[in-house]
Amino acid sequence: MAVSTPDHSRLSRRALLRGSFREPSPLRPPWALDESRFTDACTGCGDCIAACPEQVLVRAGGGLPRFDPRRSECTFCGDCVAACEAGAFDPGLSPPWRVRASVGDGCLPANGVVCSSCREVCPESAIRVPPGARGAATVDADRCTGCGACVGICPAGAIALSH
């Protein structure tokens, strides 16, 4: 399930007519409890948003925080967890989340354009780009931390984070 910016162009007409349109769950901060427990525990106070030095946490629906990888990357500093007095985070989670990057059809090298922006910014060296624009970039899921560094830098918007 993709959790970055919703792409309404991918909705099927059938799903829309049957009323099965569902927005994907917002990408919560690292170490967040599962969605139902997080929404029950989080008060929407904004302390975690204010504490984030990378400013990658923003208010989502209901005032609850979500991670926006288009703003920058998460460095997993833990300041959001430390700022939360409501108990909406589990600092013992390892890894802090199961989010990973994936590359979509709009990848420039897949379309014959030389680009390696995502590979160059990936702090884990989890992205491979074929030389000479001969295929889409690929993500090594075992190395990817889901930090989001590749999302905002992609000039084609072809990278998304998902669970």
Side-chain angles (χ1 to χ4, degrees), residues 69-93:
R70 295 170 299 179
R71 297 173 65 100
S72 186
E73 72 182 276
C74 178
T75 60
F76 304 102
C77 67
D79 289 358
C80 56
V81 178
C84 180
E85 294 182 10
F89 295 90
D90 179 356
L93 287 177

Side-chain angles (χ1 to χ4, degrees), residues 53-73:
E54 308 306 329
Q55 300 180 344
V56 295
L57 300 182
V58 297
R59 287 194 186 274
L64 303 182
R66 74 171 172 82
F67 171 55
D68 183 352
R70 295 170 299 179
R71 297 173 65 100
S72 186
E73 72 182 276

Side-chain angles (χ1 to χ4, degrees), residues 117-136:
S117 298
C118 57
R119 181 192 69 210
E120 292 170 6
V121 299
C122 181
E124 301 300 323
S125 300
I127 301 175
R128 302 281 181 260
V129 179
R134 289 183 270 176

Side-chain angles (χ1 to χ4, degrees), residues 81-121:
V81 178
C84 180
E85 294 182 10
F89 295 90
D90 179 356
L93 287 177
S94 182
W97 58 18
R98 303 242 181 255
V99 174
R100 298 295 178 259
S102 61
V103 180
D105 295 337
C107 180
L108 295 178
N111 293 289
V113 178
V114 175
C115 179
S116 60
S117 298
C118 57
R119 181 192 69 210
E120 292 170 6
V121 299

Side-chain angles (χ1 to χ4, degrees), residues 133-160:
R134 289 183 270 176
T138 58
V139 179
D140 180 344
D142 292 333
R143 294 184 74 123
C144 179
T145 63
C147 72
C150 55
V151 174
I153 197 74
C154 178
I159 301 177

